[in-house]
């Protein structure tokens, strides 16, 4: 309920820093004051030290800082009688053998804070190897008995090792990437893993939708070729396992197929992009519009810089239920490390290579002729397939996405206008220091920067 914000900064060395900016009497700024700086990592930058991912509750009540593997901490933030920020001791939300890809704080009103984590728990290799060896021994016994009956004998050592390796590989392949919800119970001061559901195998980024009284909640999950909506109230493949549909096959015969449960949408692709190569979404941002911030949309960018407007369609009778997604080409920008839309409607693009830029929206609504794809088209394509593949297998192939999505040719900016830029030398690929101009007293520094068409000397 405060009208003053603080900044939480995570460091890969094992610190969480809370910064507060105090304006001077003259109105000019001054260096931020460090309010809190708890230390939780004593071994430097490692994959098990939290700091790689940092997410906050939209109401500012807690933050989650996560490592690449296993460890997660949740800090509860509050204010004392004087209005100064306070931070509580960390609450653990660790999970063994778990690799984290992204985290985000969910908007669920003033209920208990919930953090969404995109993670993958790899199998315990000791258990996998033991199971593989048992399977290989059983297979060897059956081979030996058949050889005795036929009067032939042979070595089975090589087959046993091959069976063990293949079984271990199969065990790792069967593990699913999951979207998990971690709930912070403010009354019990405890963090629990309350929900998990399978996500796309190539999923890599998350964006939270407005929730509570403002929207449906849940998250958008970006991956290769597809963008998906997931929430804990949605049906899953396990719950729909007994619900089977009869779909007309390619030869005219009816074959059983699992009823679709996913709200997933393919992305329009460039016309010269190979159908067998995927298009990876690298960042997603959600922006609220309107006087009461009741409407919202998302922007998703791919590894090629193409920017898509993602419209989340809800049930007219119940605004908390999502019924579909629509992805339309919006513009093409430099590839960004992240996207940020300000409250004034300005888009900041911190470029991965080259200068950063600030863009102004000329319009939000896309043209009717813009390449567009809907989740209903993706569902119809899944039902029309001749193979009896489940949803996870079908959406894992780039060819299926290419057959659904439209194509386009990149053009100049249509919906955005660049209003400012910030110079950046990143990445510096080579440096030469010397007096090469011939008429200078002091040496010069020559830096080769950027990549591709955004490179410079």
């Amino acid at each position: 309920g405060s009208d003053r914000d603080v900044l939480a900064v995570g460091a890969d060395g094992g610190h969480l820093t809370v910064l507060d900016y105090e304006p001077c009497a003259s109105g000019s700024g001054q260096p931020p004051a460090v309010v809190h700086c708890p230390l939780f990592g004593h071994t430097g930058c490692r994959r098990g030290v939290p700091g790689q991912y940092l997410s906050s509750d939209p109401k500012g009540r807690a933050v989650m800082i996560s490592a690449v593997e296993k460890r997660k901490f949740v800090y509860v933030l509050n204010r004392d009688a004087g209005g100064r920020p306070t931070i509580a001791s960390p609450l653990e939300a660790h999970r063994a053998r778990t690799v984290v890809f992204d985290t985000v704080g969910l908007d669920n009103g003033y209920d208990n804070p919930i953090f969404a984590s995109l993670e993958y728990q790899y199998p315990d290799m000791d258990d996998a190897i033991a199971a593989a060896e048992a399977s290989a021994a059983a297979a060897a016994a059956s081979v030996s008995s058949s050889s005795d009956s036929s009067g032939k004998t042979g070595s089975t050592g090589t087959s046993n090792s091959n069976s063990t390796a293949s079984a271990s590989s199969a065990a790792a392949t069967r593990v699913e990437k999951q979207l998990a919800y971690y709930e912070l119970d403010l009354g019990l001061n405890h963090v629990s893993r309350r929900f998990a559901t399978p996500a796309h195998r190539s999923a890599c980024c998350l964006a939270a939708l407005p929730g509570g009284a403002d929207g449906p909640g849940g998250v958008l999950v970006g991956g290769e070729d597809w963008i998906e909506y997931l929430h804990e109230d949605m049906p899953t493949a396990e719950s729909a396992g007994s619900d089977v549909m009869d779909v007309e096959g390619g030869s005219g015969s009816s074959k059983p197929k699992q009823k679709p449960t996913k709200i997933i949408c393919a992305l329009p692709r460039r016309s010269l992009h190979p159908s067998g190569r995927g298009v990876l979404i690298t960042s997603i941002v959600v922006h609220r519009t309107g006087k009461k911030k009741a409407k919202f949309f998302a922007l998703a960018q791919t590894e090629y810089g193409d920017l898509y407007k993602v419209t989340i369609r809800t049930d007219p009778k119940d605004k908390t239920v999502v019924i579909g997604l629509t992805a339309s080409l919006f513009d093409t920008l430099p590839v960004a490390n992240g996207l940020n839309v300000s409250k004034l409607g300005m888009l900041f693009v911190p470029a991965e290579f080259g200068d950063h830029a600030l863009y102004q929206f000329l319009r939000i609504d896309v043209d009717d002729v813009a390449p567009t794809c809907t989740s209903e088209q993706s569902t119809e394509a899944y039902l029309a397939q001749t193979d009896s593949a489940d949803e996870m297998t079908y959406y894992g192939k780039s060819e299926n996405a290419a057959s659904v999505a439209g194509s386009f040719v990149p053009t100049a900016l249509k919906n955005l206008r660049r209003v400012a830029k910030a110079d950046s030398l990143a990445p510096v690929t080579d440096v030469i220091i010397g007096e090469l101009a011939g008429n200078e007293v002091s040496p010069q520094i020559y830096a080769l920067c950027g990549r591709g068409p955004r490179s410079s000397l």
Side-chain angles (χ1 to χ4, degrees), residues 166-236:
S166 60
S168 302
S169 176
T173 305
R174 287 193 299 268
V175 179
E176 297 175 327
K177 187 177 291 186
Q178 290 185 330
L179 174 72
Y181 283 3
Y182 290 87
E183 180 182 9
L184 168 62
D185 193 320
L186 295 175
L188 300 177
N189 204 31
H190 173 71
V191 180
S192 60
R193 193 173 189 261
R194 60 175 280 176
F195 166 75
T197 185
H200 194 269
R201 186 83 178 190
S202 63
C204 61
C205 55
L206 302 174
L209 298 183
D214 300 328
V219 295
L220 291 177
V221 183
E224 195 173 53
D225 300 315
W226 311 89
I227 186 168
E228 182 180 6
Y229 171 77
L230 290 176
H231 199 26
E232 60 181 341
D233 297 331
M234 296 177 58
T236 61

Side-chain angles (χ1 to χ4, degrees), residues 276-401:
R277 181 183 300 173
V279 178
L280 182 66
I281 299 176
T282 56
S283 58
I284 310 175
V285 63
V286 177
H287 178 57
R288 300 190 185 190
T289 61
K291 295 182 179 180
K292 297 183 179 180
K293 304 295 183 182
K295 298 180 180 179
F296 58 91
F297 66 92
L299 294 176
Q301 189 182 41
T302 66
E303 56 186 330
Y304 299 105
D306 299 323
L307 191 68
Y308 300 89
K309 178 186 177 182
V310 181
T311 304
I312 298 91
R313 290 178 279 111
T314 58
D315 191 342
K317 299 180 180 179
D318 188 358
K319 297 298 183 180
T320 63
V321 177
V322 174
I323 60 175
L325 301 175
T326 301
S328 305
L329 179 67
F330 195 71
D331 259 326
T332 300
L333 301 176
V335 180
N337 288 321
L339 301 173
N340 186 283
V341 182
S342 68
K343 295 181 180 179
L344 299 179
M346 305 294 287
L347 174 64
F348 177 64
V349 179
E352 183 177 2
F353 302 102
D355 299 339
H356 312 315
L358 182 68
Y359 295 88
Q360 179 185 14
F361 286 92
L362 299 179
R363 55 185 174 183
I364 297 177
D365 297 330
V366 296
D367 296 332
D368 296 335
V369 296
T372 302
C373 186
T374 65
S375 56
E376 286 80 6
Q377 293 174 339
S378 303
T379 302
E380 291 174 1
Y382 164 70
L383 295 176
Q385 63 166 330
T386 57
D387 300 332
S388 58
D390 58 359
E391 286 185 291
M392 197 65 69
T393 303
Y394 174 80
Y395 293 124
K397 297 180 179 179
S398 299
E399 293 83 356
N400 297 331

Side-chain angles (χ1 to χ4, degrees), residues 18 134 161 199 217 253 308:
V18 180
S161 60
S253 59
Y308 300 89

Side-chain angles (χ1 to χ4, degrees), residues 81 87 89 187:
I87 188 169
S89 300

